[in-house]
Amino acid sequence: QVHLVESGGGLVQAGGSLRLSCAGSGSFGSINHMGWYRQAPGKQRELVARIISGGSTNYADSVKGRFTISRDNVKNTVHLQMNSLKPEDTAVYYCGARISYSTSTYDYWGQGTQVTVSS
């Protein structure tokens, strides 16, 4: 079992910055990928940024050049530095991880943290 806990959300004006953190605990197997997703009201959850096991990263086109994901492999934590925030970045941000064990693979999610960007 793995637990993911997000922190760092809040209210910020457009053009501002926030840093989200996700702390993982529990029995980590092989992390396939770990990263951030978001869900705005009335919309489906979407990928924001994630780090693949080999260290490569994926970003949504809408955040490229503004957001940066980083990971502490020892502490099983990921961070999302969000700069130049826009009102359309407003959403609940979730930390997610896909982890493989000897016979199974599981997706884990945090409880989410609200990010609100005012215009």
Side-chain angles (χ1 to χ4, degrees), residues 31-34 50-59 69-71 73:
I31 301 176
N32 297 339
H33 54 76
M34 189 169 178
R50 66 183 183 183
I51 296 179
I52 311 301
S53 60
S56 61
T57 55
N58 299 143
Y59 289 93
I69 189 170
S70 60
R71 177 180 160 186
N73 292 327

Side-chain angles (χ1 to χ4, degrees), residues 55-107:
S56 61
T57 55
N58 299 143
Y59 289 93
D61 287 344
S62 60
V63 308
K64 286 180 180 177
R66 300 189 297 124
F67 292 9
T68 303
I69 189 170
S70 60
R71 177 180 160 186
D72 183 329
N73 292 327
V74 175
K75 297 181 179 180
N76 289 320
T77 60
V78 289
H79 306 283
L80 185 68
Q81 179 65 42
M82 306 187 294
N83 298 327
S84 302
L85 282 160
K86 305 175 181 180
E88 50 263 45
D89 293 318
T90 295
V92 178
Y93 283 69
Y94 297 91
C95 178
R98 176 164 291 178
I99 299 173
S100 292
Y101 301 89
S102 57
T103 59
S104 302
T105 296
Y106 299 94
D107 288 334

Side-chain angles (χ1 to χ4, degrees), residues 3-7 21-25 28 34 36 75-78 95:
H3 297 281
L4 303 174
V5 179
E6 302 99 334
S7 62
S21 296
C22 172
S25 62
F28 274 78
M34 189 169 178
W36 293 93
K75 297 181 179 180
N76 289 320
T77 60
V78 289
C95 178

